[in-house]
Amino acid sequence: MMLHFDFQLGAGELIVRPQILTPSPYFPTFCSNLFIPFLKITPLLVFMAPTWVLLFLCLILLSSTPSHSVDIDPQDKTSLLSFKSWLQDPNQSLSNWVASNSNCTTWIGITCDNITGKVVSINLTSMNLSGQINPSFCYLLSLKNLVLSHNNFTCPIPVCFGQLVSLRTIDLSHNMFHGGIPESFMRLRHLTELVLNGNKGLGGSVPSWMGNFSASLERLDLGFSSFSGGIPEGLVYLKSLKYLDLESNMLGGNLVDFHQPLVFLNLASNRFSGSLPCFAASAKSLNVLNLSNNSIVGGLPACIASFQALTHLNLSGNHLKYRISPRLVFSEKLLVLDLSNNDLSGPIPSKIAETTDKLGLVLLDLSHNQFSGEIPLEITELKSLQALFLSHNLLSGDIPARIGNLTYLQVIDLSHNSLSGTIPLNIVGCFQLLALILNNNNLSGVIQPEFDALDSLKILDISNNRFSGVIPLTLAGCRSLEIVDFSYNDLSGSLNDAMTKWMNLRYLSLARNKFSGTLPSWLFTFEAIEMLDFSHNKFSGFIPDINFKGSLLFNTRDVTINEPLVAASKVQLRVSVVVSDSNQSSFTYDLSSMVGIDLSSNFLHGEIPRGLFGLTGLEYLNLSCNFLDGQLPSLQKMQGLRALDLSRNSLSGHIPGNISSLQALSLLNLSYNCFSGYVLQKQGYGRFPGAFAGNPELCFEFSGGECDGRRVPSVQASSFRDDGMDGPMSVGIFFISAFISFDFGVIVLFCSARARNYILQTKG
């Protein structure tokens, strides 16, 4: 729904399978066996019917039911073998397609007519097939259903497919077909489904005849391709059309109204403009409307709430403005409402959707707008709500005291507003909560010991607020925590053992608080940790002298030299959100950061433990602005290191000659220490200007081959701040983004001091 959503229309089937109690003594045995599973005939009918009637019924069944042994038509077999001969089949999925085998039921993916043996259906989905399509494939003239989806075909769509005039379904999705849609498809007048999505090589204009060639066409899916131009007028008036998906193309023009009762309409991620139509013809039928990531302007018309069957509405990523009318109240059938990334303003309506005990909104996303005022208390009446995104607005006042009434809530994101007061103790009523994101507000108070009741919590971000006090010991109960950000507050005290219970911890930032005391010996024992940031506090004593074998990423992360400085490190969390019997919404995030340690700007002293310089997976190390001394050991093992800042300490001795051999290293700062000796030009340190400033005993070789101590560069060292980053923690800056898709849009949520990607997707 990065809310991912895949909605497929399907016709319901009712199959009656009663049994015959006692067949006629004259009824052939093979017909009796055939009748029993499929036909309901009363005992009276069986005893009274003449034998010829029963034989007639038997013949009907033979022509309409599967057979355990149907010989494939010889001509069709030849066509299939020719088709196979042009394919690459690394998984040997079609190994039983051989000339010596005539039994159709043993040919994988093939269905034949029970009387003629003609091939009527081919389904080769997800078989890792590639190559070209042999023209002889188009001799399968009885073919009704063709599914080649999720393979690696790399050719144009064969023109000869237009000869297969019996086709009802074509699904070529998720391949590498290229070119356009052949005009020969105009002959396929019985086609009901055409699915070509996920072929980025397909493009050009959507053919003008697309809405006119088949009066039976119900589903058209051209999503995630490269089509351009406008929507053909014929599609707008095609009465049979129920499902239209054109997401992620380059289509444009004014958004048009459709004149048929659609069930599914997805035009997301295109270039449509104009104002929002009312889609009056679909008011009673439309289930899903996704117009996200276009250039739609104007306000939200009140008629948009008149849809009686709408379950998913995504208008995010447009240019919608003005206030939401209080008369715009959606039906209780609406499950997902995403209006994020627009310019909507004014207060959040006190009632945005109807709700009942069993129905109501599951996801509400109003983030990245200009809503102001307080969060309405009525929002706590949306008892079905499982994900609430109100971040990046102008909201003020307190977090609603009754927010704990929303017992199904799994995600709360109120970040980047002007909220004040404390976190309501009532929030522990949200016992299923997995993500609590409150950063960048004016919240205050202490971290309540009772918050340990949120024992499912995986993300806790209260950074950039005014919280004070200590980290309560009871937080040891939050054993599921993976992301913890307490940075930029007024928290104090020493580190307690509660944190040792967070065994799944991946990111921990206590930066810019007032923590004190010594660093505990368990600091580096978290197996999944990616970033530890304790910078700008009052920690003292030694850096723990341990073996640093805790984090697997610190020790084993693969090195790719040309990756950007802040590299994406995939950390995925799936949150199941059931929105109906057949659809599921999942919340995921990707943590994008370097694997690093930041202990800068504290009162640490003593030598740097040598084990720290043996972490092959470490990408970022900042120990600047402390009182560390001793010599710098070899860094040869740190092949993944990208940024190293040891400036403003009392380190001495020679500069290791192998630092410049660290090919991934792009930021180096050893300035303002007590290093001595020679730095030779051939060691390649010229790519780090200013890295050795403020080391008066250090002699730097210049172009003439001379080493003149008086000419050691004295300019301010190139630090992380000089590279446009905010302070020593800069390389650990993370960007939060939430991707809500039910194959729908993307929400980007920026958070200071780090980057994360949230993906809310709904999948069928």
Side-chain angles (χ1 to χ4, degrees):
M1 19 193 83
M2 181 208 245
L3 278 187
H4 187 79
F5 178 78
D6 182 15
F7 183 90
Q8 296 185 356
L9 296 178
E13 281 188 332
L14 177 62
I15 302 177
V16 182
R17 301 174 184 263
Q19 298 179 353
I20 303 171
L21 296 180
T22 308
S24 165
Y26 303 102
F27 194 59
T29 301
F30 75 93
C31 282
S32 174
N33 293 335
L34 187 65
F35 262 72
I36 289 176
F38 294 99
L39 187 65
K40 181 180 181 179
I41 301 178
T42 64
L44 183 63
L45 175 61
V46 174
F47 281 111
M48 296 182 62
T51 301
W52 69 268
V53 172
L54 298 178
L55 287 173
F56 176 72
L57 291 173
C58 176
L59 291 175
I60 294 176
L61 284 174
L62 283 172
S63 65
S64 60
T65 60
S67 171
H68 293 293
S69 180
V70 178
D71 285 346
I72 191 170
D73 177 83
Q75 183 177 352
D76 283 4
K77 181 165 71 171
T78 300
S79 297
L80 289 175
L81 291 174
S82 298
F83 167 64
K84 177 188 175 183
S85 68
W86 281 28
L87 298 181
Q88 285 78 53
D89 181 14
N91 299 340
Q92 295 295 303
S93 301
L94 308 181
S95 58
N96 58 1
W97 286 26
V98 291
S100 59
N101 180 14
S102 296
N103 185 352
C104 179
T105 59
T106 63
W107 282 53
I108 295 295
I110 302 299
T111 303
C112 300
D113 184 274
N114 287 325
I115 295 178
T116 65
K118 288 286 188 180
V119 175
V120 294
S121 180
I122 298 177
N123 187 346
L124 305 180
T125 188
S126 302
M127 291 188 178
N128 198 25
L129 303 174
S130 60
Q132 309 284 312
I133 295 179
N134 191 298
S136 63
F137 185 89
C138 298
Y139 295 137
L140 302 171
L141 299 181
S142 298
L143 194 62
K144 295 181 179 179
N145 300 297
L146 172 61
V147 180
L148 301 178
S149 62
H150 294 276
N151 284 292
N152 301 297
F153 291 101
T154 55
C155 56
I157 297 176
V159 174
C160 67
F161 276 8
Q163 298 172 203
L164 305 175
V165 293
S166 297
L167 277 173
R168 267 59 170 179
T169 300
I170 297 178
D171 185 352
L172 308 179
S173 60
H174 299 285
N175 279 281
M176 290 178 277
F177 287 105
H178 55 83
I181 301 175
E183 288 193 9
S184 61
F185 274 35
M186 285 191 291
R187 305 174 194 161
L188 306 179
R189 301 194 176 279
H190 302 291
L191 202 66
T192 60
E193 293 190 14
L194 178 59
V195 183
L196 304 177
N197 73 303
N199 288 281
K200 293 301 292 185
L202 284 180
S205 299
V206 180
S208 58
W209 46 263
M210 184 58 72
N212 303 318
F213 76 104
S214 172
S216 303
L217 189 66
E218 295 183 359
R219 179 181 184 183
L220 177 62
D221 188 348
L222 307 180
F224 295 93
S225 299
S226 300
F227 292 100
S228 57
I231 298 176
E233 186 177 8
L235 282 178
V236 175
Y237 292 93
L238 181 60
K239 292 183 178 180
S240 60
L241 192 63
K242 297 286 187 286
Y243 180 114
L244 179 61
D245 192 340
L246 303 177
E247 181 180 359
S248 292
N249 280 280
M250 296 178 285
L251 299 167
N254 278 338
L255 190 62
V256 296
D257 203 346
F258 286 80
H259 297 271
Q260 67 275 78
L262 294 170
V263 174
F264 183 102
L265 178 60
N266 184 2
L267 305 180
S269 300
N270 280 286
R271 301 171 182 175
F272 293 109
S273 56
S275 57
L276 191 62
C278 285
F279 300 107
S282 302
K284 296 181 179 180
S285 59
L286 196 62
N287 291 157
V288 174
L289 177 60
N290 185 7
L291 305 176
S292 62
N293 298 308
N294 281 287
S295 298
I296 303 170
V297 298
L300 278 177
C303 62
I304 204 74
S306 63
F307 294 110
Q308 299 176 20
L310 195 66
T311 60
H312 295 72
L313 175 61
N314 190 347
L315 302 177
S316 64
N318 282 287
H319 304 296
L320 298 171
K321 293 185 176 182
Y322 313 120
R323 297 184 172 211
I324 298 179
S325 169
R327 295 185 294 110
L328 198 158
V329 179
F330 292 96
S331 160
E332 69 277 2
K333 293 181 181 179
L334 189 67
L335 303 175
V336 174
L337 176 59
D338 188 352
L339 303 178
S340 63
N341 289 278
N342 281 287
D343 296 312
L344 297 167
S345 58
I348 296 175
S350 58
K351 188 173 186 178
I352 201 164
E354 300 286 353
T355 184
T356 67
D357 291 339
K358 296 183 179 181
L359 293 174
L361 278 176
V362 167
L363 181 143
L364 175 61
D365 192 345
L366 304 179
S367 64
H368 291 268
N369 279 285
Q370 299 180 41
F371 289 112
S372 57
E374 297 186 352
I375 300 174
L377 292 175
E378 289 80 2
I379 212 164
T380 62
E381 296 175 3
L382 300 172
K383 298 297 180 62
S384 301
L385 202 61
Q386 299 181 34
L388 175 63
F389 296 94
L390 301 180
S391 68
H392 292 83
N393 279 289
L394 306 172
L395 300 172
S396 58
D398 295 346
I399 299 173
R402 296 201 302 266
I403 194 149
N405 294 354
L406 303 177
T407 55
Y408 291 106
L409 262 182
Q410 298 189 33
V411 181
I412 300 176
D413 188 353
L414 308 180
S415 62
H416 291 269
N417 281 288
S418 299
L419 299 172
S420 56
T422 62
I423 303 175
L425 190 56
N426 174 267
I427 202 169
V428 299
C430 305
F431 62 92
Q432 300 186 53
L433 201 61
L434 297 165
L436 178 59
I437 307 162
L438 304 175
N439 58 286
N440 291 82
N441 280 286
N442 294 316
L443 298 168
S444 58
V446 299
I447 302 174
Q448 298 287 348
E450 291 81 0
F451 289 168
D452 68 324
L454 301 174
D455 55 3
S456 297
L457 202 61
K458 294 179 180 290
I459 304 173
L460 177 57
D461 186 353
I462 59 172
S463 62
N464 285 275
N465 282 287
R466 294 186 291 115
F467 291 104
S468 58
V470 300
I471 299 175
L473 279 168
T474 55
L475 283 193
C478 299
R479 296 173 179 266
S480 300
L481 280 171
E482 297 184 21
I483 306 293
V484 177
D485 194 343
F486 292 162
S487 63
Y488 290 82
N489 280 286
D490 293 315
L491 298 168
S492 58
S494 59
L495 301 184
N496 60 56
D497 291 345
M499 296 180 184
T500 62
K501 305 300 181 182
W502 304 342
M503 299 308 298
N504 298 316
L505 198 63
R506 297 177 181 269
Y507 175 94
L508 174 61
S509 178
L510 306 179
R512 294 184 183 270
N513 280 283
K514 299 175 181 177
F515 291 107
S516 58
T518 59
L519 296 177
S521 60
W522 46 257
L523 187 61
F524 302 100
T525 60
F526 300 104
E527 292 187 0
I529 197 70
E530 295 192 30
M531 172 60 83
L532 285 172
D533 183 5
F534 292 175
S535 63
H536 291 269
N537 280 285
K538 299 178 181 180
F539 292 112
S540 58
F542 300 96
I543 299 176
D545 186 10
I546 56 176
N547 57 20
F548 289 92
K549 292 183 179 179
S551 171
L552 297 176
L553 286 171
F554 283 176
N555 283 286
T556 61
R557 184 175 174 86
D558 292 334
V559 179
T560 304
I561 301 302
N562 296 321
E563 282 184 2
L565 185 60
V566 179
S569 151
K570 298 291 185 182
V571 180
Q572 296 190 337
L573 159 69
R574 295 196 175 274
V575 178
S576 296
V577 180
V578 177
V579 297
S580 72
D581 291 338
S582 59
N583 299 296
Q584 177 177 308
S585 166
S586 63
F587 173 81
T588 67
Y589 70 85
D590 292 335
L591 177 62
S592 300
S593 76
M594 291 202 300
V595 176
I597 298 172
D598 191 341
L599 303 178
S600 63
S601 297
N602 281 286
F603 299 102
L604 302 172
H605 61 270
E607 294 188 0
I608 304 173
R610 290 184 175 270
L612 183 58
F613 295 101
L615 301 179
T616 58
L618 199 66
E619 296 178 319
Y620 166 67
L621 178 61
N622 190 348
L623 304 179
S624 65
C625 300
N626 280 287
F627 299 95
L628 301 170
D629 54 31
Q631 297 188 2
L632 191 59
S634 171
L635 307 181
Q636 189 172 3
K637 293 182 180 180
M638 304 185 74
Q639 292 300 313
L641 197 63
R642 300 173 184 276
L644 175 64
D645 190 349
L646 303 179
S647 65
R648 299 183 184 276
N649 281 286
S650 300
L651 299 172
S652 59
H654 297 285
I655 302 290
N658 57 6
I659 290 184
S660 59
S661 67
L662 303 177
Q663 298 183 32
L665 193 65
S666 57
L667 288 175
L668 174 66
N669 190 354
L670 303 180
S671 65
Y672 298 95
N673 278 284
C674 303
F675 290 113
S676 60
Y678 298 94
V679 177
L680 302 179
Q681 190 177 35
K682 66 180 182 180
Q683 291 176 330
Y685 289 114
R687 61 191 175 109
F688 305 115
F692 306 104
N695 287 278
E697 300 299 319
L698 195 63
C699 206
F700 199 91
E701 181 188 30
F702 289 91
S703 57
E706 299 179 355
C707 181
D708 186 350
R710 293 172 297 176
R711 299 179 62 186
V712 172
S714 59
V715 296
Q716 176 65 37
S718 173
S719 69
F720 299 145
R721 183 180 283 106
D722 296 332
D723 288 271
M725 304 180 186
D726 183 16
M729 170 54 197
S730 57
V731 181
I733 290 179
F734 293 90
F735 307 95
I736 281 191
S737 70
F739 174 64
I740 296 186
S741 78
F742 7 102
D743 270 31
F744 293 170
V746 176
I747 308 164
V748 179
L749 311 168
F750 295 97
C751 274
S752 68
R754 69 211 181 294
R756 301 178 202 133
N757 297 319
Y758 291 97
I759 302 172
L760 181 64
Q761 56 186 0
T762 307
K763 55 186 180 180

